[in-house]
Structure formats: structure tokens, C-alpha cells
């Protein structure tokens, strides 16, 4: 028998040990919290796919309990347990096989290169993954680069002159690394104590007044306003709003140079540099997000119920989900009948032939769909709808394409 989530979904994973809910915000330590959606069991690592269905179904799960801080407008998983997460070369979250995403990354690399005159300078990429972004920004700018990540694999892609990778975390063990630009993309949301993490970066022996930091995280307001509900995953402790991201950077001792949203408003970015001494952070929030939180709680339940009904009518065995990243993994685990979907489709060849944690859903490449009688293709990210529709036409598929 599957495990029921708080929203009525079914997961086919072992029951996690009970988690003690955190009672204070990881950004401002505020205790005036509003609790929202929760799940009894979700995969602790969406991006660690499995070699066989049996091990995928038995993947570790954890309790997810979304909390909103009324003091700094930050969201976080109050049930997160840091010791349950580990990042190894099996962790695969590269999006650089999508033309849409590659264009975004290249535009970002050009902008940072121009703004900070990176030619001949040193770029350090913290949490570099498989190294795709660092290679691109160094190729575009003529900068040198050092990437740090325990999930890095040396056999991935072509080498770029002046770029090296270290299979480790960036810290005081590398005092002679003195970066001009520090990139830290989609890392901060994974940190149980984001302020301590940022303070560690700010106080690194090689970091000085010349060092500029580019921080990028998922945008919690996109999740709330545009119902990007499939972005809620265990390994993301934090869900930053523009206010809570700025508050975190200032509390850690940074001066904010620029900030905004990108990638269809799905990401937040902030550019900053260390200050000689931290400044006091005055909490003066907009006061409008709490209403969105309350609406989100209701709408989330309704959206999950709608997809349950859709799959019941359409036959999940003749349905595929396009996107085997965190959104797709969440969908097949949370939506009732989702585990019966025939496959997750992904253009990343390193995911193909593997299985989704929790549901055990196989991951296939687009070519696997050719000639198959499919009723529906569910696209997990609206930014990829045109890209998926183009691929479907090339494969001769007449399936309904619907965005989740």
C-alpha cells in the first residue's frame, strides 16, 4: 500500500522517520510562522536517479512541511533534516541539453562578462555541478575558472583552457583562491543555514573588496503567483522571495549591487560584494504575500485534484511527463495515479535509462516515443512548451500537449 500525502497523493517509498519541525526562520530567526502544504513522504533527492526500478521505489523519503515567515517573507521546509542529504557524482541536475536553457545561460554569461570585465580574471563557481556554466562563461569572457562541487565528474564534455574543477566544497582549505567573480547558482536554497554559508563565503581568506558575487535561486513568488507547485522538493530547504534574499545577503555582510528576476520570472538573482562590516537589516516587508500563501494552500490542493481527475480520464499508461528534473519527479510522486504514468522524458542523455526515486517511473529519451500510441504529453515547465512541441512534431506524434 502506498503512503498518503497530506494532499491525498500516493508515494511508494518507505516511511521516513518522524521529523521535528523547525520553529524559527533560517534567514531572520523569526518565529511568527504560517504553515502551508505538507507531505508525509517525498524523495529526499529528486536528482539522484536510479539504475533499476526496485532501488528507485526504495529510495529514501522525507517529511516536507512548508512554512512562511511573516517577518522576512521567507519560505522553508520546517521538517528538513540536513544529514539526510548527500551530493555525489550520481546527482544529475544539468539543464544544458535544452536549447532554451542554453540561450539563457549564454545571455547571462555575456552580461556578467561585460558588466565585470572578466577577461583574464578568475571566476570561481561554487556548486558548479557538471561544470557547464563555468565552461561557458570562461569561453565567452576569456576568464580563468575554478569550479567546486562534490558531484562533479571529470569525464563530462570538452575541456576548456584555463578552467579546472575540484571535487570538494569551497572553503578555507583553499586560501590562495582569490576570485574576481564568484558564481553560486542554485546552491543557497539547499543550505540548512544559509546565513552561515554566506558568511563563510564572505570571510574566505581569498575573498576581498574586489570580489563580486552572483547568487541565483528559484523565485518563491513564481511558485506562489504562477502556481509553480512542482518546485517544492525536499532538498530545497529554502524558497527565497526578493525580500528574504536581500535580507540574507545583508545579514551575512554583503552590499547589494544589483538584483532582479530572470528566466521567465522563475529565478531570482542578486549581485553583491563583501562589506568591511555587516549592516543592520531592517525588516519592513510588503505585507501582501501572506494572502498569496493562504490562496496557494487552497489552490495547490485543487490543482493536485485536477491532475488526478485528468489522469483518471486519460489513462496514465498512455501519458508521459516531459522533464525528469525536480518538477517531473514531484509530479509523478505527489499526484494520485502519477506513479502509473508510462515514462518521464528528458533530453539529458545521462538521465535516460534510469528510474525516478519514489515512483520508479522509467526515464527515456524523446526517440523512445516514436511510434508509440500516446494520448498526452505533460510539459513540466511552460518555458519548454514550444521546444517540446517541435520535438513531438519531428517524432510524428499527434499527442495532446498540456503544461502542468
Amino acid at each position: 500500500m502506498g503512503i498518503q500525502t497530506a494532499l491525498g497523493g500516493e508515494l511508494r517509498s518507505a516511511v521516513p522517520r518522524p521529523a521535528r519541525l523547525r520553529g524559527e526562520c533560517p534567514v531572520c530567526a523569526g518565529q511568527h510562522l504560517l504553515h502551508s502544504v505538507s507531505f508525509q513522504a517525498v524523495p529526499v533527492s529528486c536528482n539522484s536517479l536510479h539504475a533499476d526500478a526496485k532501488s528507485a521505489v526504495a529510495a529514501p523519503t522525507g517529511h516536507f512541511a512548508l512554512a512562511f515567515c511573516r517577518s522576512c517573507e521567507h519560505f522553508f521546509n520546517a521538517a528538513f533534516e540536513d544529514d539526510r542529504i548527500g551530493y555525489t557524482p550520481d546527482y544529475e541536475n544539468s539543464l544544458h541539453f535544452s536549447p532554451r536553457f542554453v540561450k539563457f545561460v549564454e545571455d547571462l554569461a555575456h552580461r556578467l562578462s561585460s558588466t565585470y570585465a572578466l577577461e583574464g580574471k578568475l571566476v570561481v563557481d561554487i556548486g558548479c555541478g557538471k561544470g557547464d556554466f563555468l565552461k561557458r562563461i570562461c569561453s565567452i569572457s576569456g576568464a580563468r575558472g575554478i569550479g567546486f562541487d562534490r558531484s562533479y565528474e571529470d569525464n563530462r564534455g570538452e575541456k576548456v583552457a584555463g578552467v579546472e574543477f575540484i571535487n570538494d566544497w569551497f572553503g578555507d582549505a583553499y586560501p590562495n583562491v582569490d576570485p574576481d567573480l564568484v558564481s553560486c547558482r542554485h546552491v543557497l536554497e539547499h543550505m540548512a543555514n544559509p546565513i552561515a554559508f554566506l558568511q563563510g563565503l564572505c570571510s574566505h581568506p581569498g575573498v576581498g573588496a574586489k570580489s563580486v558575487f552572483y547568487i541565483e535561486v528559484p523565485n518563491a513568488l513564481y511558485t506562489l503567483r504562477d502556481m509553480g507547485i512542482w518546485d517544492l522538493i525536499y532538498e530545497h530547504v529554502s524558497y527565497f522571495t526578493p525580500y528574504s534574499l536581500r535580507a540574507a545577503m545583508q545579514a551575512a555582510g554583503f552590499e547589494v549591487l544589483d538584483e532582479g528576476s530572470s528566466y521567465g520570472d522563475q529565478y531570482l538573482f542578486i549581485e553583491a560584494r563583501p562589506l568591511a562590516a555587516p549592516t543592520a537589516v531592517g525588516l519592513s516587508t510588503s505585507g501582501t504575500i501572506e494572502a498569496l500563501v493562504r490562496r496557494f494552500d487552497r489552490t495547490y490542493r485543487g490543482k493536485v485534484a485536477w491532475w488526478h481527475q485528468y489522469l483518471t480520464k486519460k489513462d496514465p499508461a498512455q501519458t508521459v511527463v516531459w522533464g525528469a528534473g525536480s518538477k517531473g519527479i514531484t509530479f509523478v510522486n505527489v499526484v494520485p495515479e502519477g506513479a502509473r504514468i508510462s515514462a518521464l522524458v528528458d533530453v539529458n542523455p545521462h538521465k535516460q535509462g534510469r528510474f525516478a526515486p519514489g515512483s520508479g517511473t522509467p526515464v527515456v529519451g524523446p526517440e523512445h516515443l516514436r511510434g508509440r500510441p500516446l494520448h498526452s504529453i505533460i510539459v513540466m515547465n511552460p518555458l519548454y512548451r514550444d521546444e517540446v512541441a517541435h520535438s513531438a512534431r519531428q517524432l510524428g506524434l499527434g499527442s495532446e500537449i498540456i503544461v502542468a
Side-chain angles (χ1 to χ4, degrees):
M1 179 178 293
I3 300 166
Q4 298 301 311
T5 72
L7 301 183
E10 185 176 70
L11 300 174
R12 290 166 170 77
S13 302
V15 178
R17 62 178 184 261
R20 180 173 174 268
L21 296 187
R22 181 171 183 166
E24 63 178 32
C25 172
V27 168
C28 73
Q31 298 181 12
H32 193 32
L33 307 177
L34 174 63
H35 291 275
S36 186
V37 297
S38 66
F39 311 93
Q40 290 304 313
V42 291
V44 298
S45 180
C46 285
N47 292 298
S48 296
L49 302 183
H50 295 259
D52 58 82
K54 184 178 180 180
S55 66
V57 170
T61 61
H63 181 195
F64 183 97
L66 186 65
F68 168 67
C69 176
R70 291 180 171 99
S71 298
C72 72
E73 298 185 345
H74 188 64
F75 295 84
F76 62 98
N77 176 11
F80 181 80
E81 296 175 284
D82 195 27
D83 63 354
R84 308 205 70 199
I85 299 292
Y87 299 102
T88 70
D90 288 333
Y91 188 84
E92 177 59 63
N93 68 341
S94 177
L95 301 175
H96 290 75
F97 297 93
S98 160
R100 176 69 176 79
F101 189 78
V102 167
K103 184 180 185 308
F104 161 70
V105 166
E106 290 185 343
D107 288 347
L108 172 61
H110 278 289
R111 182 179 73 79
L112 292 176
S113 175
S114 174
T115 302
Y116 298 109
L118 295 179
E119 184 175 4
K121 295 181 179 179
L122 177 62
V123 176
V124 167
D125 195 7
I126 298 171
C128 67
K130 308 307 181 185
D132 303 285
F133 177 70
L134 184 61
K135 291 177 183 179
R136 288 181 189 275
I137 193 172
C138 290
S139 295
I140 286 169
S141 67
R144 298 175 294 118
I146 303 176
F148 290 86
D149 201 313
R150 286 185 180 171
S151 73
Y152 176 73
E153 291 178 286
D154 193 46
N155 59 349
R156 289 282 290 269
E158 62 182 79
K159 307 293 183 183
V160 173
V163 177
E164 63 177 296
F165 295 95
I166 298 175
N167 197 275
D168 196 2
W169 302 129
F170 178 68
D172 291 350
Y174 304 94
N176 297 323
V177 175
D178 55 344
D180 297 282
L181 177 73
V182 177
S183 169
C184 188
R185 301 175 59 244
H186 300 272
V187 174
L188 190 60
E189 66 270 22
H190 294 257
M191 296 298 157
N193 190 334
I195 303 301
F197 173 76
L198 289 171
Q199 288 173 333
L201 298 183
C202 193
S203 63
H204 182 272
V207 168
K210 70 166 186 174
S211 304
V212 174
F213 285 72
Y214 174 83
I215 309 290
E216 186 180 283
V217 295
N219 184 0
L221 289 188
Y222 171 80
T223 304
L224 284 177
R225 288 192 310 239
D226 300 284
M227 293 309 297
I229 68 175
W230 317 115
D231 292 320
L232 300 180
I233 61 174
Y234 187 86
E235 61 200 78
H236 287 180
V237 190
S238 286
Y239 299 84
F240 289 91
T241 63
Y243 188 86
S244 70
L245 181 58
R246 171 179 273 268
M249 295 296 290
Q250 291 177 332
F254 287 91
E255 174 192 7
V256 175
L257 304 174
D258 194 12
E259 59 190 318
S261 64
S262 62
Y263 205 51
D265 210 31
Q266 294 185 20
Y267 298 163
L268 295 176
F269 71 86
I270 200 162
E271 291 160 35
R273 63 186 175 196
L275 285 170
T279 57
V281 179
L283 298 178
S284 179
T285 60
S286 65
T288 62
I289 295 184
E290 185 169 333
L292 289 176
V293 176
R294 296 186 185 281
R295 187 196 70 172
F296 177 80
D297 194 37
R298 296 189 301 270
T299 309
Y300 196 136
R301 298 170 191 274
K303 193 165 186 177
V304 170
W306 189 93
W307 278 106
H308 178 204
Q309 186 179 38
Y310 179 90
L311 292 177
T312 301
K313 291 179 178 179
K314 292 292 184 177
D315 182 8
Q318 294 191 27
T319 300
V320 296
V321 166
W322 198 295
S326 57
K327 292 179 174 66
I329 303 298
T330 299
F331 186 94
V332 297
N333 277 289
V334 167
V335 176
E337 299 294 316
R340 291 183 54 219
I341 285 173
S342 62
L344 288 155
V345 184
D346 207 285
V347 294
N348 183 342
H350 303 285
K351 292 186 175 183
Q352 295 163 12
R354 302 182 75 80
F355 296 82
S359 67
T361 310
V363 181
V364 302
E367 279 294 328
H368 187 81
L369 305 183
R370 192 183 295 275
R372 289 185 57 181
L374 290 178
H375 286 155
S376 307
I377 298 174
I378 301 173
V379 181
M380 293 313 302
N381 191 326
L383 293 180
Y384 299 141
R385 193 203 180 284
D386 292 344
E387 188 175 302
V388 172
H390 176 71
S391 295
R393 287 194 299 270
Q394 288 186 317
L395 293 167
L397 300 174
S399 315
E400 175 187 31
I401 297 178
I402 182 169
V403 176

